[in-house]
Amino acid sequence: MSENIEDLSYEETIKKIEKVTAYLEDETISLDASIEAYTYGTKLTHHAKKLINFAEAKIKNVISKERENDSDQRFKSEDIFD
């Protein structure tokens, strides 16, 4: 748990969340260990959400640029008939 969460890819983060979840399902771990694992899992979850939001913004940017290009093409086509 000592690596920098910010350096993890989305896929690595999800794998770690799955491991934390499995660990927390173990009924033999102590309360302190559970709290530590839960805290780590929460940090991983926030990081995964941040990565998803970043990916979503990138996709929206691509879609926006595609729409601009489509719009520009329409105007150029219409200019031909003026």
Side-chain angles (χ1 to χ4, degrees), residues 9-57:
S9 69
Y10 178 77
E11 294 77 14
E12 292 168 328
T13 303
I14 294 301
K15 285 181 184 177
K16 288 190 179 287
I17 290 170
E18 290 170 350
K19 287 181 181 180
V20 169
T21 301
Y23 180 77
L24 287 170
E25 290 173 348
D26 181 354
E27 296 177 8
T28 63
I29 60 174
S30 69
L31 178 60
D32 287 339
S34 295
I35 292 169
E36 183 179 346
Y38 179 81
T39 302
Y40 183 61
T42 301
K43 290 176 183 178
L44 288 168
T45 301
H46 287 290
H47 179 61
K49 286 179 182 179
K50 186 173 99 176
L51 292 172
I52 288 290
N53 289 338
F54 181 71
E56 183 180 15

Side-chain angles (χ1 to χ4, degrees), residues 69-82:
N69 288 340
D70 288 346
S71 178
D72 289 345
Q73 290 298 333
R74 265 187 274 130
F75 290 129
K76 287 178 184 175
S77 297
E78 291 173 6
D79 290 342
I80 294 172
F81 302 108
D82 286 340

